[in-house]
Amino acid sequence: MKITIHRGTNQIGGCITEIQSAKGDKILIDFGHNLPEGDKPAQDKYDEDENVLKLLEGVSDVYYTHYHGDHISFESDIYRAGVTQHIGALSLKMVKTLKQHMQHADSLKERATKSLEALEHFRIYKSKHTETVGDIRITPYFVSHSAIDAHMFLIECDGITVLHTGDFRDHGYMGTGLEKNLIANIVPKQIDVLVTEGTMLSRIAEKVPTERDLQQKTIDIFNKYKNVFVLCSSMDADRIVTFYQATRKQKPNRWFVTDSYQGEQIQNIRNNLTGIYSDICYGNILQKHDEVLAKMLENGFTMLVRNTETFKNLLKEIVPQIDMRQTAFIYSQFEGYITKGLPTFKQSTYDFVHSYDWAVERVHTSGHASCKTLAEVCNLVNPSLAIIPIHKEWDTDFASLPISSELKKKIVTKSMALEKENGDFINFEVKE
Ligand SMILES: [Zn+2]
């Protein structure tokens, strides 16, 4: 068996992992686009068709851990190359909703239409259901992440067991199940190789708040401000639940307001999940404009917004009708986008956040495992041969985690071959 890390040992996002059996069966795990830096469009060598085709030589299937753009982005090229693509059922619905929405923008229409054609041919995998590609067995298990419906993969091939975590965390609403899941399903398989994300390695001392902590912080903000606009991802189910639950707990008749796209994503979440995810109620400001606006002005509101012309026009209409001393704007995304001087700084986002004289509040936590959690997962999974860190910054070191010296010796950052006691062996190739 051979594992090739085409991309990801030195960067966050755009990770591509290849698994090849001794007989030559070949699959990829994730194939996303490089993340953009600030306002500049992201550069990616796979924007050239020929590079995609070269990478896909001999590959029959691509399995996506989740729907973030740095994990799935080249689906139409991959579809045209005749490769089968796999993702979770809710992920597929949410990506389709996103692409349908993108079709409304002239500049995005062509790409979104091609993507929708590819998505029609996706296959859906189910958590805990093993699929087989030649000699490769692959079993997805649910993990909590800022994308709902994310999965880690257990891969069994040529006598070697691999756990590929994808992006994960344990401080989201369903994250508390991580340890139980690993103990029940992964540990008994005696993992040889752990391929894990390390997004938070540069923030080792940081105390990472949970989504529940954010809920309490938000209730405190709502107690101070009658009118609150919120900028957060429309596809982050946990974060939407945080703001919805805070809205209900602070004042039952406070209005929770969305536009049609956000409403559709909430419907996807409601229809496919249970518990706190299934009871999100919202007023659609675009559908029932006068009725919703009247209730907002009367009872106060939590309104999800995005940096678009539609919302800018809505703000132009709403802001003159509300008392700005009772109004706040919650920024609920990566701090680096609005921190001047950082390479990730986005002027357009900064301008949107500060477009009126409202109080700006920050309510956010990472979608990724804290260093404490990364160490716990390494210790628990305790791979016999190797730990391969991916989805990490180039200047971070997995050995800085509080893990045993024996585990530290197993960290693989360059190409090599390793053999098990019984003679089964694995080759690693680390590109870049
Ligand atoms: Zn992600």
Side-chain angles (χ1 to χ4, degrees):
M1 180 200 199
K2 184 180 173 190
I3 297 181
T4 306
I5 309 295
H6 287 281
R7 197 156 69 177
T9 54
N10 284 322
Q11 64 178 61
I12 292 174
C15 294
I16 306 166
T17 305
E18 181 185 293
I19 310 281
Q20 186 179 357
S21 75
K23 273 193 197 155
D25 307 302
K26 223 195 255 188
I27 64 169
L28 297 182
I29 296 175
D30 289 337
F31 191 163
H33 203 281
N34 280 340
L35 290 168
E37 209 169 75
D39 282 321
K40 284 175 274 173
Q43 301 293 320
D44 197 309
K45 72 182 212 188
Y46 295 110
D47 288 331
E48 303 289 332
D49 283 0
E50 61 192 71
N51 291 335
V52 174
L53 292 175
K54 204 169 161 214
L55 185 69
L56 291 177
E57 266 170 35
V59 171
S60 61
D61 296 71
V62 179
Y63 281 82
Y64 297 107
T65 55
H66 63 290
Y67 54 67
H68 279 155
D70 60 325
H71 294 256
I72 168 171
S73 209
F74 298 96
E75 63 280 4
S76 53
D77 305 303
I78 297 170
Y79 163 64
R80 275 185 284 128
V83 172
T84 310
Q85 300 176 83
H86 308 252
I87 201 166
L90 175 54
S91 292
L92 183 58
K93 286 197 174 102
M94 291 178 81
V95 178
K96 279 186 181 173
T97 300
L98 171 69
K99 303 293 175 178
Q100 282 156 1
H101 173 70
M102 283 164 68
Q103 280 185 311
H104 298 307
D106 286 342
S107 60
L108 305 172
K109 194 173 179 174
E110 194 189 329
R111 200 174 141 79
T113 305
K114 278 186 186 165
S115 169
L116 278 163
E117 190 195 349
L119 292 167
E120 279 308 313
H121 295 85
F122 267 48
R123 296 217 185 133
I124 288 167
Y125 60 66
K126 278 190 188 157
S127 186
K128 298 185 186 173
H129 286 243
T130 302
E131 303 194 354
T132 307
V133 179
D135 282 346
I136 304 168
R137 284 162 54 82
I138 178 161
T139 315
Y141 292 96
F142 174 85
V143 281
S144 171
H145 179 42
S146 46
I148 198 81
D149 200 32
H151 294 80
M152 57 185 175
F153 294 128
L154 170 73
I155 297 138
E156 298 159 281
C157 174
D158 300 338
I160 304 282
T161 51
V162 180
L163 179 69
H164 188 297
T165 65
D167 292 356
F168 73 101
R169 64 176 180 175
D170 66 352
H171 53 277
Y173 292 110
M174 289 201 272
T176 46
L178 177 67
E179 191 184 342
K180 229 166 85 184
N181 192 1
L182 291 173
I183 291 171
N185 300 305
I186 304 301
V187 175
K189 292 284 184 181
Q190 297 183 329
I191 298 300
D192 297 314
V193 179
L194 173 64
V195 183
T196 174
E197 70 133 308
T199 318
M200 295 283 277
L201 280 174
S202 61
R203 292 149 72 180
I204 203 149
E206 198 172 305
K207 165 124 181 45
V208 180
T210 66
E211 286 293 331
R212 280 185 204 284
D213 294 337
L214 298 192
Q215 225 186 84
Q216 191 49 54
K217 187 176 177 186
T218 306
I219 291 172
D220 295 343
I221 295 168
F222 289 170
N223 283 333
K224 268 169 73 184
Y225 300 100
K226 182 183 173 194
N227 319 306
V228 176
F229 300 100
V230 177
L231 180 62
C232 71
S233 160
S234 309
M235 294 175 84
D236 183 349
D238 275 11
R239 193 57 48 80
I240 289 168
V241 164
T242 292
F243 290 119
Y244 180 72
Q245 290 281 328
T247 302
R248 283 289 80 80
K249 285 175 185 171
Q250 190 261 342
K251 197 171 148 215
N253 66 351
R254 184 184 184 109
W255 270 64
F256 190 74
V257 183
T258 71
D259 76 341
S260 304
Y261 169 63
Q262 291 154 341
E264 273 174 50
Q265 292 293 22
I266 289 172
Q267 287 296 348
N268 285 331
I269 295 161
R270 278 178 55 145
N271 296 343
N272 288 275
L273 295 168
T274 55
I276 47 172
Y277 298 97
S278 66
D279 63 12
I280 312 166
C281 293
Y282 58 91
N284 180 339
I285 182 96
L286 296 184
Q287 231 169 39
K288 297 183 177 172
H289 176 274
D290 295 353
E291 193 187 318
V292 170
L293 185 56
K295 292 287 184 193
M296 286 168 69
L297 299 177
E298 189 187 333
N299 299 320
F301 60 85
T302 307
M303 179 173 170
L304 305 185
V305 297
R306 294 194 310 284
N307 185 9
T308 64
E309 284 312 306
T310 307
F311 277 102
K312 284 176 187 167
N313 288 330
L314 281 167
L315 289 172
K316 248 184 233 166
E317 182 193 359
I318 296 167
V319 165
Q321 301 183 63
I322 55 179
D323 181 349
M324 291 309 271
R325 288 166 306 180
Q326 292 183 52
T327 302
F329 185 102
I330 294 180
Y331 177 71
S332 184
Q333 290 181 336
F334 176 50
E335 189 69 25
Y337 296 147
I338 58 164
T339 308
K340 284 185 178 169
L342 291 184
T344 46
F345 178 71
K346 291 183 180 187
Q347 186 71 50
S348 59
T349 308
Y350 181 90
D351 291 345
F352 183 61
V353 172
H354 295 92
S355 49
Y356 291 94
D357 187 22
W358 44 38
V360 174
E361 300 277 353
R362 290 163 166 80
V363 176
H364 188 54
T365 191
S366 175
H368 299 275
S370 66
C371 289
K372 185 171 163 281
T373 304
L374 289 175
E376 282 165 4
V377 168
C378 288
N379 289 329
L380 197 57
V381 174
N382 194 24
S384 70
L385 290 177
I387 296 173
I388 308 181
I390 59 168
H391 207 278
K392 66 183 271 295
E393 284 163 308
W394 66 272
D395 56 351
T396 58
D397 184 0
F398 220 72
S400 61
L401 290 177
I403 54 175
S404 68
S405 55
E406 206 173 310
L407 280 174
K408 284 182 187 179
K409 278 186 221 149
K410 293 175 182 170
I411 297 168
V412 170
T413 54
K414 57 182 193 300
S415 303
M416 63 169 75
L418 289 170
E419 193 177 316
K420 274 170 70 165
E421 277 171 16
N422 66 3
D424 290 331
F425 69 95
I426 178 161
N427 282 309
F428 299 105
E429 188 176 352
V430 178
K431 300 234 167 147
E432 289 170 322

